[in-house]
Amino acid sequence: MKHLLLLILCLLSGSITFAQKQITKPNIVIILADDMGFADLGCFGSEIHTPNIDKLAREGLKMTQFYNAGRCCPSRTSLLTGLYPHQAGVGDMVKYKGSPAYQGYLNEHCATIAELLKTKAGYNTIVSGKWHVGLQPSALAFNRGFDRSFIMLNNGSSYFNSAPLYNDGSKITFMLNDREITRNDTSKYLTQAITDFAIQSLEQIKTDKSPFFLYVAYNAPHWPIQALPEDIARYKGKYLKGWDKLRKQRYEKLLASGIIKKYWKLSDRDSRAPAWDSLSPQEKDKWDTRMAIYAAMIDRMDAGVGEIMNKLKQLGKDKNTIVLFASDNGGSADEVKSLATVIQKNGTPGSVNSIDSYEIPWANVSNTPFRLFKRNTHEGGIATPFIAWFPGIIKAGSINTQPAHFIDIMPTCLDLAGVTYPQEFKNRQLTSLEGFSLKNVLLSKAWNGHDAIFWEHEGSRAIRKGTWKLVAEIDQPWELYDLDADRSETSNLAAKYPDKVKALEAEYLQWAQKVGVVDWNKIKSL
């Protein structure tokens, strides 16, 4: 009996040691989608075929109240630095707006995940995909801690070549490490190119005993909606049922999966979107094609995720690798052809000769059951589907409903790697982290979380404190919601609870002053 007890104790001790080893300096993979809504994945209510991402969710954790910063540049900044975007210099986009908080590129008071994991824990560091946190050399990936980088600098590019579509100040669209590269019409589809660089980089370090940090930042499904013909064909005709029925179907699927609560209502169709049944057959066909292209883009991105996961398994790296998946903001209501700085093309929809977006009606579907879109700080703009996968560490099929934010990703990575965030880095004083490690969430342990979370983007602003959320669009009065009862933001309680509005506003204004928020009306013309 004594020997049996000793054996059991040894086995238990060994399993605990094994678990500790597994979570000490794991490989870290972050996969980011671009302009993909809360309900665009199969595991988050969608009809789009996403088996590989769904598998990560099925074998891992879904966080159903995870937040981004409302738009690509601010969100990516928060993800990489653990700070609110204003604190790192990217309160808006990549153009200077007359204030340090809106200088348009990563400042000297922040460090990226890659910089700290590389210098403090010996990680190999790789980025493949959209960068968009500044155009100055000091803010580019090869100067921000990444050993290997294939990056797109601007916010939108053709998926088939390097032709600039949107003039945001960048004269270079793509870079391979520290040099410009050109993609032409015979280049592989951009989503595949991003996947391939990630896989090739993993192959190059396969014999290295050091852990790696891989940041895969897909441009899909950001406009222009362009996809491979064979991918589009799989979805053509499937959206003739229309956005009204599809929103209801996604809503019911979200309810059935437990991602949303049964008493959260489906918000009304956006007032700028017509009823589907009011459209002509020709209009229905046009819109069906638009959504088929968008769905095809997500489908191809999911295939890329599958290729990366297969590569990890082939290299024997999958058992000690954590994978985090999210989207940088909600579905986009942008009408790309109305933007004066976008080159106009009218070729076959979805091809290299076309420039389209899927606009308000379909973005309204993407963000089911929420209101509004990318750029807004209502839930439709800032709610992200977040998935974490770590075999043997994260309980399969688990769900966490606590509010968390992109600012929590940096401290989580550091915690997993055993790195303490420094006060100084390369003789630069660093701003203290705003986020908190999610390690306890990953381990299904108690997590204290945030007292409050804040947002500001181009005058759209919000604070979430507990279940209360105070939110307003630019030049509009505050709205107040109890998100426990009404996360769809359908019942404004501001008039009923004026004292709550005043208290939350005071806390928001204190934060805004701290991080450098400036009245958008005073800077938007710069």
Side-chain angles (χ1 to χ4, degrees):
M1 179 63 73
K2 184 184 293 185
H3 293 301
L4 180 59
L5 288 172
L6 284 172
L7 178 60
I8 292 171
L9 286 171
C10 288
L11 288 172
L12 286 173
S13 175
S15 64
I16 292 169
T17 302
F18 177 73
Q20 289 172 341
K21 285 182 178 178
Q22 285 288 75
I23 207 164
T24 301
K25 289 192 178 181
N27 304 309
I28 300 171
V29 178
I30 296 176
I31 303 174
L32 191 66
D34 194 355
D35 285 11
M36 190 191 75
F38 182 78
D40 274 332
L41 297 173
C43 54
F44 273 79
S46 179
E47 71 297 329
I48 299 173
H49 187 61
T50 55
N52 297 295
I53 299 172
D54 294 351
K55 184 173 186 287
L56 295 178
R58 188 169 61 251
E59 296 178 356
L61 164 73
K62 289 183 286 189
M63 294 191 73
T64 61
Q65 299 201 49
F66 201 90
Y67 289 108
N68 54 62
R71 202 171 178 191
C72 35
C73 294
S75 288
R76 290 158 201 275
T77 298
S78 286
L79 183 155
L80 286 168
T81 68
L83 304 175
Y84 283 110
H86 310 75
Q87 294 171 301
V90 194
D92 183 38
M93 302 293 277
V94 296
K95 288 185 177 180
Y96 177 67
K97 292 292 182 179
S99 163
Y102 302 86
Q103 69 178 28
Y105 59 93
L106 296 179
N107 64 28
E108 62 179 8
H109 301 298
C110 67
T112 69
I113 299 172
E115 286 179 300
L116 297 183
L117 291 185
K118 177 180 177 179
T119 59
K120 304 294 184 181
Y123 273 66
N124 289 300
T125 54
I126 306 160
V127 58
S128 184
K130 182 172 175 177
W131 186 239
H132 217 209
V133 288
L135 303 174
Q136 279 71 11
S138 65
L140 296 179
F142 70 93
N143 282 327
R144 281 293 183 164
F146 285 97
D147 301 317
R148 294 168 175 81
S149 60
F150 166 60
I151 58 171
M152 187 184 79
L153 297 189
N154 50 15
N155 61 342
S157 169
S158 167
Y159 283 78
F160 298 99
N161 59 38
S162 297
L165 302 179
Y166 189 86
N167 179 20
D168 58 3
S170 174
K171 295 180 180 179
I172 300 174
T173 304
F174 291 96
M175 293 186 71
L176 180 62
N177 299 319
D178 59 351
R179 62 185 177 85
E180 178 184 3
I181 59 170
T182 300
R183 287 167 39 81
N184 53 51
D185 288 352
T186 60
S187 297
K188 66 181 66 174
Y189 185 64
L190 179 55
T191 300
Q192 191 63 53
I194 291 170
T195 299
D196 287 354
F197 182 81
I199 290 173
Q200 290 160 9
S201 297
L202 291 175
E203 176 67 23
Q204 290 167 359
I205 61 170
K206 66 180 180 180
T207 60
D208 196 318
K209 300 301 182 183
S210 301
F212 61 81
F213 169 59
L214 170 62
Y215 174 39
V216 184
Y218 285 111
N219 194 39
H222 191 289
W223 52 259
I225 50 170
Q226 296 175 338
L228 298 171
E230 60 268 29
D231 292 343
I232 298 172
R234 287 199 296 275
Y235 290 94
K236 186 72 178 81
K238 292 187 176 181
Y239 291 99
L240 288 171
K241 66 181 67 175
W243 40 70
D244 294 319
K245 288 183 179 178
L246 193 59
R247 285 188 81 228
K248 291 178 181 177
Q249 287 180 7
R250 290 194 180 188
Y251 175 70
E252 294 296 333
K253 191 175 177 183
L254 285 164
L255 285 174
S257 64
I259 292 173
I260 62 174
K261 297 181 179 180
K262 61 183 179 181
Y263 43 84
W264 293 349
K265 297 178 182 178
L266 174 62
S267 62
D268 292 337
R269 181 197 333 115
D270 191 279
S271 60
R272 294 163 289 181
W276 179 261
D277 289 341
S278 70
L279 302 181
S280 68
Q282 293 78 14
E283 289 173 320
K284 288 180 179 179
D285 182 70
K286 178 192 78 171
W287 286 111
D288 167 70
T289 299
R290 294 272 185 97
M291 190 60 185
I293 297 166
Y294 179 85
M297 297 169 77
I298 293 176
D299 188 308
R300 179 57 56 176
M301 176 182 65
D302 178 82
V305 172
E307 290 183 51
I308 291 170
M309 296 306 296
N310 286 338
K311 186 64 177 179
L312 292 174
K313 186 174 183 179
Q314 176 199 332
L315 297 176
K317 304 286 189 181
D318 56 319
K319 300 302 182 184
N320 192 36
T321 296
I322 182 170
V323 178
L324 307 177
F325 179 93
S327 178
D328 68 343
N329 46 247
S332 172
D334 293 348
E335 294 185 17
V336 61
K337 286 189 174 180
S338 70
L339 300 175
T341 48
V342 171
I343 300 168
Q344 302 299 310
K345 294 183 179 181
N346 294 290
T348 301
S351 73
V352 67
N353 295 314
S354 70
I355 293 183
D356 290 307
S357 51
Y358 76 154
E359 300 181 24
I360 288 173
W362 287 126
N364 203 187
V365 174
S366 289
N367 299 334
T368 303
F370 305 130
R371 292 172 51 207
L372 297 182
F373 312 95
K374 164 189 174 182
R375 300 180 184 229
N376 304 124
T377 54
H378 284 74
E379 296 292 286
I382 59 175
T384 192
F386 184 87
I387 297 165
W389 178 91
F390 198 170
I393 301 297
I394 294 176
K395 182 181 177 182
S398 52
I399 293 178
N400 183 283
T401 61
Q402 291 178 270
H405 188 281
F406 271 29
I407 56 177
D408 300 322
I409 293 176
M410 158 74 103
T412 302
C413 293
L414 298 186
D415 194 6
L416 293 172
V419 174
T420 300
Y421 185 78
Q423 292 182 334
E424 292 185 2
F425 181 73
K426 293 185 176 179
N427 298 317
R428 308 193 312 260
Q429 191 74 25
L430 296 185
T431 301
S432 298
L433 284 176
E434 292 284 350
F436 300 100
S437 172
L438 297 167
K439 184 176 177 179
N440 276 359
V441 174
L442 304 179
L443 297 174
S444 298
K445 294 182 178 180
W447 184 62
N448 292 331
H450 294 269
D451 177 60
I453 303 175
F454 304 87
W455 294 265
E456 188 277 334
H457 181 67
E458 296 187 351
S460 181
R461 56 211 184 274
I463 171 178
R464 173 167 181 171
K465 187 178 178 69
T467 66
W468 289 104
K469 181 179 176 187
L470 191 69
V471 59
E473 295 307 316
I474 186 169
D475 298 329
Q476 296 299 311
W478 287 112
E479 301 168 16
L480 179 68
Y481 299 98
D482 177 358
L483 296 192
D484 183 59
D486 177 31
R487 196 179 172 204
S488 304
E489 298 171 318
T490 60
S491 180
N492 181 6
L493 302 175
K496 186 176 181 180
Y497 299 106
D499 290 343
K500 177 63 70 174
V501 171
K502 289 179 182 178
L504 290 173
E505 180 185 38
E507 194 164 346
Y508 168 82
L509 291 173
Q510 184 178 21
W511 169 82
Q513 183 178 25
K514 169 188 168 182
V515 302
V517 170
V518 176
D519 181 355
W520 185 250
N521 287 312
K522 295 179 180 178
I523 64 174
K524 63 184 178 181
S525 62
L526 294 177

